[in-house]
Amino acid sequence: MKCRSVACIWSGTPFPHRVTAVAALTEPPTQTFYTAGSDGSIIWWTISSSPSTPEVKAVGVLCGHGAPVTDLAVCRPIADAGNGYTSSASKFSALISACCDGFLCVWSKNSGHCRCRRKLPPWVGTPRLIRTLPSTPRYVCIACSLEGNEGLIDRETQPRKPPKCTVLIVDSYSLSITQTVFHGSLSIGSIKFMTLVLGDDEKRNSVFVADSAGRQQMVPISEDRGESLAGSLGDKGQLETSFFDEELSSVEQIVSVLTYGNVVASILEGRCVFRLLNHSVIGEVSFVDSLFSLDQGSIQTHAVGGIFLENDDVENVFNGNEYGNSITVRFAVWNNVGYAVIYNVLYQNDVFQCEPFSEIPGTRYQPDMRLSVFFQQVSQYLVCIKSICYSYEDPLLWRPLATMWSLHDFSDEPGRLYRQCRMIGDGVSFTGWFEKLTQLTGLDGLETTTFGVSPSSDIVDNKQAGTGTNGYAYKGKVVSSSMIISENLFTPYAVVYGFLSGEIEVVRFDLFQGICLDDASSNPDEKPTACKQFFSGHTGAVLCLAAHQMMGSAESWNFKQVLVSGSMDCTIRIWNLDTGSLIMVMHHHVAPVRQIILAPSITVHPWSNCFLSVGEDACVALVSLETLRVERIFPGHMNYPSKVLWDGARGYISCLCQTHYGTSDATDVLYIWDVKTGSRERVLLGTAAHSMFDNFCKSISKNSVSGTLLNGNTSVSSLLLPIVDDARFSNSPLSRSDNLLTSSRSSPNISNMTELNSSKTNAGKEISVKPHSSSQIGLLSSKLPIKCACPFPGIVSLCFDLSSLMFLFQKNESVENGGGKPVNINLKQQGVQEQNPSYHNSETLEGHDLVNLFEEYLLRYSLSYLHSWSVDTELDNLLITDMKLMRPENFIVASGLQGDKGSLTLTFPAQSANLELWKSSSEFCAMRSLTMVSLAQRLISLSHSGSAASSALAAFYTRNFLENFPDVKPPSLQLLVAFWQDESEHVRMAARSIFHCAASHVIPLPLCNLKPTESNNMSFHTGSRDRHNLGNKREESLSPKVEKQGVSHDEESKILAWLESFEVQDWISCVGGTSQDAMTSHIIVAGALAIWYPSLVKPSLSRLVVHPLMKLAMAMNEKYSSTAAELLAEGMESTWKECIISEIPRLIGDIFFQVELSGPSSKSVKEISDASFSIKKTLVEVLLPSLAMADITGFLAVIESQIWSTASDSPVHMVSLLTLIRIMRGSPKNLAQYLDKVDFSLHHMFLVSASDLQVVNFILQTIDPSNSVMRKACFQSSMTTFKELVRVYPMVAVNDSWTKLAVGDVIREVNNANIRVYDMQSVTMIKVLDASGPPGLPTLLPASLSGTMLTTAISALSFSPDGEDNARDSNHGDSPKQLLHNLDLSYRLEWVEGRKVLLTRHGHELGTFQL
């Protein structure tokens, strides 16, 4: 399991966002809508649930696409909610997006993260349109296009072939293709519009497609998901005849085609034509008097879109059959300036009516403004999303504005033509906080020390529409490229921004700021000084960036770290990153330079100090940083190579040229070049090019260090190339010690990191250590603790991996001790100088201390960037003073979530946006709380200070946060239990603590013990304690009658369905689990709740979950079996015993079977995995003793049978002996009656079987001299068991030489009490002593009672010093249960002198008597 927490760093300027698609999810409790942009970003908006003053807020950006998004749609990946927190009646629960480079993403509404990210195969083409199947919203229909002809042909001599397209059915759960509806050429043009319609039987769907000329065609969908139609092979016989609307003029342009039932609305620029699916026209509406009547000067208005509206007050009705149709619906259409008209459409009895109902005013058009308009219905509101660009010279400066209008309320002011809808929200944009930030901070000053205001300040300005400003006030400061420099891919060093103005800004992280060697010299109040660098020289926008650390040394160059920048001015500039000076300007490109590709980590010299530059002139150049000149030119590409990869292991470069940027077309070409010779090795076309490029990516990923295909620190978006799963990461060079020493880039080097991260703030401070040794490098973990990415210009993400941070260095102490040579670090005022190996200094640190110092720093750094500042001021001050955290004031920080395959969900840097993620995502709450509490505990274990701050931090993320913000969702219980068996003790304890704090607020609905009236009020889980008042008061509301009756059969079925649910929930995709994890986590959660919160769950839960819990414990699952065993052991007496009492012997036998599998006869100990060993240890040390104490007779019967059924040297016998010791210590009274032979006449009174059940006899059999193998294997354990037996039970005694053993009857009729004496050497009984005489001195104990009375026959025994005689004492009782309950094992007999004995109890003398 992976617990990854994301921090997002924003630049001071917004990123451009031109809307290309919109979609909405209106399910309670929060209504959301999404806008997709031409840059691949998706903005997440929410509408507050307040009915009086609803408000639109921009929450964050969904980063999963690196190319323009073509369409959005809503879906439901999981048929039933399954998590137990939401109602299964929710129709849609996720958003699916597609972009033109073939990637699909599914975004969860509840958690906000990307559930699944997948690329369609190349033969499919470019996805254009997405529609959800009405009957099964889990599946979506995707229309794809294949632009261009196969191969490169002469378009003048060859006839143009019909465009090819593909229609697919995709499962939104896994994004796998379940059916190919059609693949080939349709009789119409390229698909521009698509919708799904139901057939006459309302079961079989058909795909309705249309082109831009109005030609329409129906494609039926097979009912069988796995069956493709014959049309998939190009057979048009299965397709319905296409139809061309004769009413449409060839001059008119189709704007949109909509369907409602079997009615088709064809929207043109000046009118709308309504027809039925059988092609008969039923009516027409002209827009001349409405949309064209606006006074816009020289701007010509025309319709650009329309939608059918769902209304609550006027019910939309559609009835259609073969003979007649009727329809009542509202219909909205808008023009290119945002003016919209809402119509009431009525069609009944062949009579068509379309009357204007209301209007929404548009935007006054300005001469220098470009505008794009979309409308989206969100429940009872109509949201207008406008994308505005004020400057034709800067085409990137697009910003969205969202205006919300009510569909039910109307404005007091009359509209231009009709009554005007009331405006709810005016011009809300995510760029508002940027503009506010510009006014508060000086972003243009070089002396600025604070890059922005506090990230927690809520500075979103919601009043920006209607302003007459022409563009942004900070137009020249718009970020055109950015990257984060991560030193040796291990720690972040600086963020680099390239602007449209041509300026470059470097902002450093101050890595060792505030960290000193002793506490006396540290100053937590010290403010960071200015840590910015500015590079000026480019005359055009900076389009790409890269940072490289030079390998080796030479006299020809005197720089160690360089910054490479490519610009719109066609030049490449190489800068000295340490000094800020310009090294070289290169002019080998004649078009803008788009990409800088660095050499892979394993590239050999001299190629390791080279980079590739990719320009729009279709050339790729290889430049050497040692010679500062172009070494290779790779010309002849068809066009700009949009995707370039460098395989350093094999020495090849692959360049993918796409005819249309970001699309998969038949004319795409892949070029493969040899780096050493500069020759072109291969050229591939069409789908073969994409397939070969994907295989090229897989080959490079095997040698990748960072886990991505990007080499080093570049501004290339992390979303452009495929992301390889982390499962492959174990084979990377970073995990192999031999490769760690071959490449300095692939080996995280503490010395190098300190050199490169030293800044002017460290001037005057000098830390001297000896040169690092190779063994010190081997201490570093094979996983990167902080992964950095730049999904879009101006956005930087830091992903903190909890497991890597908890085990930053290898746990092998021998390796650590082997690297005992000190490590040298010397920080000078002007930089870092290489140290002479013979140099020694008095301030030398041992390597181990330096490792702890560096680990302590990384923990503080992580906590500083992940903490929610300004929520609790007292806690913030305590963290700064006590824990020495540093508030990241040089950066604008926000939160985020890691999704599938490199996707990200990032919030805007406002407190309201950050809280929205806390309120909507229980997965985010769980992971962030778990990370913060675990890291704080780990930091205390290293620094041994800050315990008060750590306790306050843990309380804040476990309890106080929920108290301060009641709307925050409690953490996901399933996610927390996934870390109960984590490798780190701090993580395990944190997960359990958070579980207990959140459990009472987040009981899953199928398990929650609610009355019917209460369950109706909890149809949707919000996490609010007002709705989940499941505290101690709930226990009072449970009547005894309800508990006795239990739950109905239907409720039990729901519980079982929840326990057996295996579909991957949102939390599973967050932590990288499987469907098996989904089911097992449900079992663990149910078992824990049944033990710890029995009054909050249904009474029958324990009976239903105990058997799945038993199976899970014995399944040897490395993630959950130990937890299941611990839960069974903890609740055995209170919860599980009455449910499984008859199955305990079988379960004990199963545990012995697992023990037998690990015996010497099966496999060597080395072959047993650590996880398997840990599980078996839990079964033996935790679960087995609890089972044995719950059913002692069954346990004794099993261990007796194991004597004869298993091998003599089997570990089962030793486990049995150790379990007996644990029973003696845990439940000695219950075991007392089975010490020796039982009176068979009394066995029914003790529930004892008529077999020879005795502890002493079993122990003696393990040391039987006739079985030398067993005696040798068990002798030491047997003697330990005997010692414990004598220590616990006073009625068992041995002589001083340990040759004789005496065992007295514990409970017996007073006239039949015996003492049996055994010979320890021959393990045989040698005599039976009659102990039925008067029980002790009359002055000490009561007089003898009737001989038929049950009594504690022997209370204490003791051998005389010569070992021949023994004394005994006894007590009386009434019944077996009472005797066992009142059994006193504190009596002791000691021989004092001669034949005089001393009787003591709890160490106090009761008296002496003469024998």
Side-chain angles (χ1 to χ4, degrees):
M1 294 293 185
K2 308 169 188 174
C3 183
R4 297 169 294 186
S5 297
V6 176
C8 174
I9 298 178
W10 293 82
S11 66
T13 57
F15 63 95
H17 183 76
R18 181 179 183 180
V19 179
T20 58
V22 294
L25 284 168
T26 60
E27 303 298 330
T30 305
Q31 298 175 353
T32 61
F33 67 94
Y34 306 86
T35 59
S38 58
D39 60 342
S41 62
I42 301 175
I43 305 299
W44 170 18
W45 310 74
T46 62
I47 299 178
S48 62
S49 56
S50 174
S52 58
T53 57
E55 183 182 1
V56 177
K57 292 183 180 180
V59 177
V61 56
L62 310 181
C63 308
H65 301 290
V69 179
T70 56
D71 201 7
L72 299 175
V74 293
C75 59
R76 187 172 63 182
I78 302 178
D80 192 359
N83 54 11
Y85 306 139
T86 57
S87 172
S88 60
S90 176
K91 186 176 181 181
F92 302 110
S93 61
L95 175 79
I96 182 171
S97 58
C99 70
C100 56
D101 62 355
F103 276 95
L104 302 178
C105 291
V106 177
W107 309 88
S108 172
K109 177 182 183 293
N110 296 327
S111 62
H113 85 296
C114 180
R115 286 178 47 90
C116 186
R117 182 172 183 249
R118 182 178 182 268
K119 186 177 181 181
L120 293 174
W123 61 267
V124 169
T126 303
R128 297 294 182 183
L129 300 168
I130 307 177
R131 297 294 181 266
T132 307
L133 270 65
S135 57
T136 53
R138 171 170 173 167
Y139 299 91
V140 295
C141 183
I142 302 179
C144 307
S145 63
L146 282 165
E147 302 290 343
N149 299 319
E150 291 290 344
L152 299 177
I153 61 174
D154 187 354
R155 302 185 185 275
E156 297 182 357
T157 59
Q158 297 290 338
R160 182 176 179 84
K161 295 182 180 180
K164 286 187 176 182
C165 68
T166 307
V167 180
L168 306 170
I169 301 297
V170 174
D171 185 0
S172 62
Y173 176 78
S174 59
L175 290 182
S176 58
I177 299 175
T178 61
Q179 182 179 354
T180 303
V181 179
F182 180 81
H183 180 62
S185 299
L186 292 172
S187 56
I188 62 175
S190 299
I191 299 178
K192 299 297 181 183
F193 315 101
M194 179 184 68
T195 188
L196 299 176
V197 295
L198 291 174
D200 296 337
D201 55 358
E202 296 186 357
K203 292 183 179 180
R204 184 171 181 178
N205 297 311
S206 297
V207 182
F208 175 83
V209 294
D211 60 8
S212 58
R215 291 187 292 267
Q216 305 165 4
Q217 192 164 353
M218 295 284 290
V219 183
I221 301 177
S222 172
E223 296 181 4
D224 186 2
R225 289 278 179 267
E227 177 184 357
S228 298
L229 295 177
S232 62
L233 302 177
D235 184 5
K236 300 184 182 61
Q238 296 288 339
L239 304 179
E240 298 185 12
T241 306
S242 61
F243 172 76
F244 178 75
D245 193 348
E246 298 179 355
E247 299 292 332
L248 305 179
S249 171
S250 59
V251 180
E252 293 180 293
Q253 181 71 25
I254 293 289
V255 173
S256 180
V257 177
L258 308 173
T259 61
Y260 183 78
N262 65 348
V263 176
V264 180
S266 300
I267 304 177
L268 291 82
E269 293 184 349
R271 60 195 177 105
C272 179
V273 179
F274 293 87
R275 66 173 62 253
L276 300 178
L277 288 176
N278 59 10
H279 315 309
S280 60
V281 178
I282 61 175
E284 179 179 327
V285 178
S286 176
F287 305 142
V288 175
D289 297 332
S290 57
L291 297 179
F292 295 163
S293 61
L294 301 179
D295 183 14
Q296 291 293 335
S298 59
I299 302 301
Q300 183 179 1
T301 59
H302 57 85
V304 294
I307 55 174
F308 284 106
L309 301 178
E310 299 288 340
N311 298 285
D312 298 333
D313 53 347
V314 178
E315 183 180 1
N316 292 356
V317 178
F318 167 74
N319 294 312
N321 52 51
E322 185 178 356
Y323 303 101
N325 297 276
S326 64
I327 180 174
T328 301
V329 69
R330 283 184 180 174
F331 174 73
V333 63
W334 59 90
N335 64 10
N336 54 333
V337 295
Y339 178 80
V341 178
I342 301 175
Y343 295 91
N344 277 332
V345 178
L346 175 63
Y347 177 70
Q348 189 174 10
N349 299 328
D350 297 332
V351 177
F352 178 81
Q353 295 180 0
C354 186
E355 299 294 337
F357 177 72
S358 59
E359 71 174 27
I360 295 176
T363 303
R364 182 168 296 276
Y365 208 91
Q366 300 182 18
D368 62 343
M369 180 178 70
R370 287 186 291 174
L371 185 67
S372 171
V373 183
F374 285 86
F375 277 82
Q376 177 64 45
Q377 183 184 7
V378 184
S379 187
Q380 58 189 5
Y381 306 107
L382 191 62
V383 181
C384 176
I385 303 102
K386 302 174 183 177
S387 301
I388 302 175
C389 181
Y390 284 102
S391 175
Y392 287 103
E393 297 178 357
D394 293 330
L396 298 177
L397 302 182
W398 288 88
R399 60 172 177 174
L401 294 175
T403 307
M404 186 167 58
W405 304 84
S406 175
L407 292 173
H408 301 88
D409 300 332
F410 304 96
S411 175
D412 297 334
E413 300 179 1
R416 184 182 297 269
L417 297 177
Y418 316 107
R419 57 179 179 175
Q420 181 175 315
C421 296
R422 184 171 68 90
M423 182 172 61
I424 306 298
D426 183 11
V428 179
S429 176
F430 73 90
T431 62
W433 68 270
F434 288 101
E435 298 180 359
K436 187 73 174 180
L437 183 64
T438 306
Q439 301 173 7
L440 297 178
T441 58
L443 295 179
D444 296 331
L446 299 182
E447 299 299 326
T448 301
T449 59
T450 304
F451 193 72
V453 298
S454 171
S456 61
S457 301
D458 198 351
I459 52 178
V460 177
D461 187 5
N462 293 334
K463 297 182 180 180
Q464 301 171 35
T467 58
T469 178
N470 288 343
Y472 302 131
Y474 42 77
K475 182 166 51 179
K477 298 292 291 185
V478 173
V479 177
S480 56
S481 63
S482 63
M483 73 171 180
I484 182 169
I485 304 178
S486 180
E487 287 307 331
N488 293 322
L489 306 173
F490 195 74
T491 55
Y493 164 54
V495 179
V496 185
Y497 300 107
F499 299 97
L500 286 179
S501 60
E503 190 178 33
I504 301 174
E505 180 182 18
V506 179
V507 187
R508 302 179 188 271
F509 278 104
D510 286 339
L511 286 186
F512 281 88
Q513 176 72 21
I515 296 182
C516 303
L517 300 182
D518 53 349
D519 295 336
S521 59
S522 61
N523 183 12
D525 297 329
E526 180 181 357
K527 299 294 182 182
T529 58
C531 54
K532 294 184 180 180
Q533 283 181 289
F534 292 86
F535 302 85
S536 300
H538 284 294
T539 58
V542 179
L543 302 180
C544 54
L545 296 163
H548 176 72
Q549 179 185 352
M550 299 297 292
M551 304 297 176
S553 60
E555 297 180 356
S556 59
W557 42 272
N558 57 357
F559 44 85
K560 298 180 62 178
Q561 194 171 15
V562 296
L563 176 68
V564 184
S565 59
S567 172
M568 187 71 74
D569 60 8
C570 310
T571 65
I572 295 176
R573 292 177 177 261
I574 303 175
W575 315 80
N576 188 330
L577 193 55
D578 296 326
T579 63
S581 60
L582 179 66
I583 299 176
M584 174 69 71
V585 181
M586 312 193 76
H587 301 270
H588 55 273
H589 285 285
V590 294
V593 182
R594 287 287 179 182
Q595 297 183 55
I596 300 294
I597 309 296
L598 295 178
S601 57
I602 61 174
T603 306
V604 297
H605 190 268
W607 313 106
S608 57
N609 285 330
C610 297
F611 68 89
L612 297 173
S613 61
V614 185
E616 292 185 0
D617 55 1
C619 284
V620 178
L622 178 69
V623 182
S624 172
L625 290 172
E626 296 182 2
T627 61
L628 296 178
R629 66 182 183 183
V630 179
E631 301 293 343
R632 300 282 189 276
I633 286 288
F634 307 101
H637 298 94
M638 180 183 64
N639 48 34
Y640 163 65
S642 58
K643 296 181 180 180
V644 179
L645 288 177
W646 187 348
D647 188 350
R650 296 183 296 179
Y652 288 104
I653 298 174
S654 63
C655 305
L656 182 62
C657 301
Q658 298 172 283
T659 305
H660 304 279
Y661 172 70
T663 61
S664 300
D665 296 336
T667 55
D668 295 346
V669 184
L670 177 67
Y671 299 85
I672 299 179
W673 303 86
D674 190 325
V675 177
K676 296 181 180 180
T677 62
S679 60
R680 188 171 65 189
E681 294 293 330
R682 186 174 298 181
V683 178
L684 299 174
L685 308 177
T687 57
H690 290 273
S691 299
M692 178 60 72
F693 187 80
D694 292 340
N695 291 330
F696 205 85
C697 294
K698 294 178 181 179
S699 175
I700 295 178
S701 67
K702 294 180 180 179
N703 299 313
S704 174
V705 174
S706 61
T708 66
L709 298 174
L710 301 178
N711 302 319
N713 306 299
T714 68
S715 61
V716 179
S717 174
S718 58
L719 302 174
L720 287 177
L721 300 174
I723 302 296
V724 183
D725 293 336
D726 290 341
R728 162 224 54 83
F729 192 75
S730 59
N731 296 325
S732 65
L734 192 60
S735 62
R736 297 193 294 265
S737 58
D738 53 346
N739 288 337
L740 283 174
L741 306 178
T742 58
S743 172
S744 60
R745 184 185 293 132
S746 63
S747 59
N749 185 316
I750 297 179
S751 174
N752 291 340
M753 282 184 286
T754 312
E755 292 177 8
L756 300 172
N757 296 327
S758 60
S759 61
K760 296 181 180 180
T761 60
N762 293 318
K765 299 179 182 179
E766 183 170 318
I767 305 175
S768 301
V769 226
K770 291 184 180 180
H772 67 276
S773 61
S774 60
S775 59
Q776 187 70 34
I777 300 176
L779 292 174
L780 297 173
S781 172
S782 61
K783 295 182 180 179
L784 302 179
I786 305 176
K787 292 185 179 180
C788 309
C790 284
F792 299 109
I795 304 177
V796 172
S797 68
L798 304 174
C799 183
F800 299 84
D801 184 78
L802 180 59
S803 62
S804 300
L805 288 170
M806 299 305 291
F807 297 106
L808 185 61
F809 299 92
Q810 293 181 9
K811 296 173 293 181
N812 190 347
E813 297 295 335
S814 61
V815 177
E816 184 174 338
N817 296 333
K821 294 182 180 180
V823 180
N824 238 349
I825 302 177
N826 194 336
L827 306 182
K828 298 276 187 173
Q829 183 174 358
Q830 300 298 330
V832 181
Q833 299 180 358
E834 300 266 338
Q835 295 299 307
N836 192 320
S838 61
Y839 175 79
H840 296 275
N841 190 283
S842 59
E843 298 182 0
T844 299
L845 291 177
E846 292 293 334
H848 180 74
D849 296 335
L850 181 62
V851 165
N852 287 341
L853 178 65
F854 183 74
E855 185 176 2
E856 181 181 339
Y857 154 71
L858 275 185
L859 293 175
R860 284 200 176 102
Y861 175 85
S862 304
L863 289 171
S864 299
Y865 278 84
L866 293 176
H867 177 58
S868 298
W869 297 94
S870 297
V871 177
D872 189 333
T873 307
E874 294 182 2
L875 176 63
D876 295 346
N877 296 332
L878 189 62
L879 294 178
I880 294 174
T881 57
D882 192 17
M883 198 174 283
K884 302 176 185 178
L885 298 189
M886 295 183 60
R887 191 165 181 162
E889 296 183 349
N890 286 341
F891 296 93
I892 306 173
V893 183
S895 301
L897 265 173
Q898 180 77 43
D900 184 41
K901 290 183 170 58
S903 57
L904 294 165
T905 300
L906 308 175
T907 64
F908 292 115
Q911 191 180 70
S912 61
N914 186 32
L915 288 178
E916 192 64 38
L917 193 57
W918 282 92
K919 294 176 182 179
S920 62
S921 176
S922 60
E923 294 79 11
F924 172 80
C925 298
M927 290 192 295
R928 182 56 59 94
S929 300
L930 181 61
T931 300
M932 296 300 293
V933 176
S934 302
L935 293 182
Q937 294 298 324
R938 175 61 178 163
L939 182 59
I940 290 179
S941 65
L942 291 176
S943 61
H944 305 290
S945 63
S947 58
S950 176
S951 300
L953 187 70
F956 175 78
Y957 283 99
T958 54
R959 299 187 305 271
N960 299 347
F961 206 97
L962 290 174
E963 295 174 358
N964 295 335
F965 301 96
D967 294 336
V968 170
K969 268 194 175 181
S972 169
L973 300 184
Q974 289 95 319
L975 190 148
L976 291 174
V977 301
F979 293 92
W980 281 6
Q981 293 299 323
D982 192 82
E983 194 175 4
S984 170
E985 181 182 1
H986 300 300
V987 177
R988 295 196 302 267
M989 298 304 297
R992 291 175 182 263
S993 300
I994 300 173
F995 180 93
H996 285 288
C997 293
S1000 60
H1001 306 296
V1002 67
I1003 302 292
L1005 285 183
L1007 314 182
C1008 190
N1009 193 3
L1010 292 175
K1011 297 180 180 179
T1013 55
E1014 292 175 331
S1015 61
N1016 293 334
N1017 295 331
M1018 293 181 59
S1019 58
F1020 294 99
H1021 171 79
T1022 61
S1024 173
R1025 291 198 309 268
D1026 296 337
R1027 298 187 181 184
H1028 287 267
N1029 188 15
L1030 300 176
N1032 296 330
K1033 296 182 179 180
R1034 178 64 52 78
E1035 187 174 358
E1036 301 175 359
S1037 65
L1038 298 176
S1039 63
K1041 183 177 180 181
V1042 174
E1043 293 183 0
K1044 290 181 180 179
Q1045 290 178 351
V1047 294
S1048 64
H1049 178 71
D1050 182 57
E1051 290 177 332
E1052 289 190 0
S1053 300
K1054 292 181 180 179
I1055 295 176
L1056 291 175
W1058 187 82
L1059 292 175
E1060 297 172 359
S1061 174
F1062 63 89
E1063 292 185 309
V1064 175
Q1065 308 292 330
D1066 289 341
W1067 74 268
I1068 284 290
S1069 56
C1070 285
V1071 299
T1074 62
S1075 58
Q1076 183 186 24
D1077 297 321
M1079 182 186 299
T1080 52
S1081 65
H1082 285 180
I1083 298 173
I1084 295 296
V1085 169
L1089 294 177
I1091 297 174
W1092 298 324
Y1093 304 92
S1095 62
L1096 303 183
V1097 296
K1098 290 184 171 61
S1100 63
L1101 178 61
S1102 59
R1103 174 173 53 84
L1104 297 176
V1105 76
V1106 63
H1107 289 92
L1109 203 61
M1110 291 167 53
K1111 294 179 181 178
L1112 180 58
M1114 303 308 301
M1116 305 303 291
N1117 183 294
E1118 62 181 19
K1119 299 177 184 177
Y1120 298 99
S1121 288
S1122 295
T1123 303
E1126 292 173 357
L1127 291 177
L1128 285 173
E1130 185 171 353
M1132 183 57 65
E1133 286 294 330
S1134 61
T1135 308
W1136 315 122
K1137 182 177 178 179
E1138 60 181 7
C1139 301
I1140 61 169
I1141 185 63
S1142 62
E1143 302 180 54
I1144 289 180
R1146 179 185 59 82
L1147 189 57
I1148 294 175
D1150 293 341
I1151 295 176
F1152 282 144
F1153 176 75
Q1154 294 294 340
V1155 174
E1156 180 69 21
L1157 292 179
S1158 60
S1161 59
S1162 58
K1163 57 174 69 175
S1164 62
V1165 179
K1166 295 182 179 180
E1167 295 177 356
I1168 303 176
S1169 64
D1170 294 339
S1172 178
F1173 178 79
S1174 176
I1175 296 171
K1176 293 180 180 179
K1177 183 179 179 181
T1178 305
L1179 292 176
V1180 170
E1181 297 182 358
V1182 179
L1183 180 57
L1184 184 58
S1186 67
L1187 293 172
M1189 285 184 281
D1191 185 7
I1192 295 180
T1193 58
F1195 171 72
L1196 294 177
V1198 172
I1199 62 176
E1200 286 281 352
S1201 64
Q1202 295 294 326
I1203 289 287
W1204 314 107
S1205 62
T1206 58
S1208 298
D1209 59 347
S1210 172
V1212 169
H1213 310 307
M1214 288 180 287
V1215 169
S1216 301
L1217 293 170
L1218 296 177
T1219 305
L1220 284 174
I1221 295 176
R1222 293 187 175 96
I1223 298 176
M1224 296 176 201
R1225 296 172 179 176
S1227 183
K1229 293 183 179 180
N1230 293 333
L1231 188 63
Q1233 56 183 315
Y1234 306 107
L1235 293 181
D1236 207 353
K1237 292 182 179 181
V1238 180
D1239 187 355
F1240 296 151
S1241 63
L1242 302 176
H1243 75 269
H1244 64 280
M1245 305 181 65
F1246 298 100
L1247 299 178
V1248 180
S1249 63
S1251 60
D1252 192 13
L1253 301 179
Q1254 51 179 312
V1255 175
V1256 173
N1257 183 53
F1258 172 77
I1259 303 175
L1260 291 175
Q1261 289 187 58
T1262 59
I1263 57 174
D1264 188 351
S1266 62
N1267 191 340
S1268 59
V1269 175
M1270 181 180 296
R1271 180 182 176 89
K1272 180 180 179 180
C1274 301
F1275 185 80
Q1276 185 175 0
S1277 300
S1278 301
M1279 289 298 102
T1280 304
T1281 308
F1282 270 129
K1283 290 179 181 179
E1284 188 69 17
L1285 192 68
V1286 174
R1287 185 190 68 83
V1288 174
Y1289 298 102
M1291 64 285 300
V1292 179
V1294 293
N1295 60 359
D1296 293 340
S1297 60
W1298 280 79
T1299 58
K1300 293 181 181 179
L1301 171 71
V1303 182
D1305 290 334
V1306 180
I1307 298 176
R1308 194 82 168 195
E1309 291 183 1
V1310 68
N1311 292 332
N1312 295 324
N1314 295 320
I1315 298 175
R1316 285 162 295 279
V1317 182
Y1318 296 89
D1319 182 16
M1320 297 282 287
Q1321 297 178 351
S1322 62
V1323 296
T1324 58
M1325 184 188 304
I1326 57 178
K1327 66 176 68 175
V1328 177
L1329 303 179
D1330 183 8
S1332 59
L1337 291 177
T1339 57
L1340 298 177
L1341 297 175
S1344 176
L1345 300 178
S1346 172
T1348 59
M1349 189 69 178
L1350 286 177
T1351 179
T1352 304
I1354 307 297
S1355 294
L1357 284 178
S1358 178
F1359 275 93
S1360 62
D1362 58 5
E1364 296 298 330
D1365 301 324
N1366 61 69
R1368 59 94 178 174
D1369 182 70
S1370 64
N1371 205 341
H1372 305 279
D1374 297 327
S1375 65
K1377 292 184 178 180
Q1378 183 180 359
L1379 283 173
L1380 288 178
H1381 179 72
N1382 298 327
L1383 182 63
D1384 194 342
L1385 301 178
S1386 61
Y1387 290 102
R1388 294 294 184 271
L1389 281 177
E1390 298 180 14
W1391 289 81
V1392 209
E1393 56 182 7
R1395 299 184 63 83
K1396 186 180 294 187
V1397 293
L1398 172 66
L1399 179 63
T1400 62
R1401 184 173 181 266
H1402 294 295
H1404 300 287
E1405 295 184 5
L1406 297 180
T1408 59
F1409 57 92
Q1410 185 76 28
L1411 298 180

